[in-house]
Amino acid sequence: MAGTIEVLVPGGQANPGPPLGPELGPTPVDVQAVVQEINDQTEAFDGTEVPVTVDYEDDGSFEIDVGVPPTAALVKDEAGFETGSGEPQKDFVADLSVDQVKKIAEQKHPDLLAYDTINAAKEVVGTCASMGVTIEGNDAREFKERVDDGEYDDVLAEA
């Protein structure tokens, strides 16, 4: 009866109700233990939908693999808006600081192709451009050019 369950849960706020409870109910695992571990592992994504995979065995043991939310979800959560712009080149919906871009890049880095935080930040900025989000009041494409020129190397460099 071993198996795998894949669900999207709000970071740090999983509970034994749907979608998790009905999926775990027929399995031999302790539902509350699974919920607690998911919440512990996803608390950094407070409220943002996080993909979670639960692998369980017949003896009730389980392993949890927590994915990273989509970049757009992290940008929306960090900037505090619901939907991107319908015309992202001229109608801007939010503005992020360089530190916020770095935070998102660090959260998303394991899932990106980037080798370092600076390149991960460029990928985040690309998402910002398509959503109508500016960076420190500048169009995201202009900000990316400034990153390419090394203007933000000291801020975006890894600790």
Side-chain angles (χ1 to χ4, degrees):
M1 166 133 181
T4 300
I5 297 170
E6 295 179 1
V7 292
L8 278 175
V9 297
Q13 300 172 14
N15 63 59
L20 209 47
E23 293 284 337
L24 291 172
T27 70
V29 301
D30 177 351
V31 175
Q32 196 56 45
V34 172
V35 167
Q36 185 59 49
E37 187 164 332
I38 289 172
N39 285 337
D40 291 345
Q41 291 187 31
T42 63
E43 65 186 339
F45 299 115
D46 186 34
T48 303
E49 293 286 309
V50 180
V52 174
T53 302
V54 180
D55 292 312
Y56 62 89
E57 299 297 331
D58 292 333
D59 64 1
S61 63
F62 61 89
E63 285 188 26
I64 294 174
D65 181 42
V66 176
V68 178
T71 304
L74 294 173
V75 169
K76 288 193 296 187
D77 186 51
E78 188 66 31
F81 65 94
E82 291 297 317
T83 58
S85 172
E87 296 184 52
Q89 314 320 323
K90 54 185 177 171
D91 290 331
F92 301 107
V93 295
D95 186 58
L96 292 176
S97 70
V98 176
D99 289 334
Q100 288 174 305
V101 169
K102 181 179 181 180
K103 176 182 172 185
I104 296 167
E106 289 171 342
Q107 288 176 324
K108 192 67 181 169
H109 190 231
D111 282 1
L112 298 177
L113 297 175
Y115 294 111
D116 57 25
T117 305
I118 292 173
N119 286 302
K122 289 183 199 177
E123 291 191 41
V124 171
V125 169
T127 300
C128 290
S130 68
M131 296 176 73
V133 176
T134 56
I135 316 298
E136 295 201 337
N138 296 304
D139 182 282
R141 289 172 298 285
E142 293 171 19
F143 179 81
K144 184 192 169 294
E145 289 174 15
R146 292 166 66 186
V147 171
D148 287 340
D149 292 340
E151 194 172 323
Y152 292 97
D153 285 359
D154 57 333
V155 179
L156 295 174
E158 297 179 52

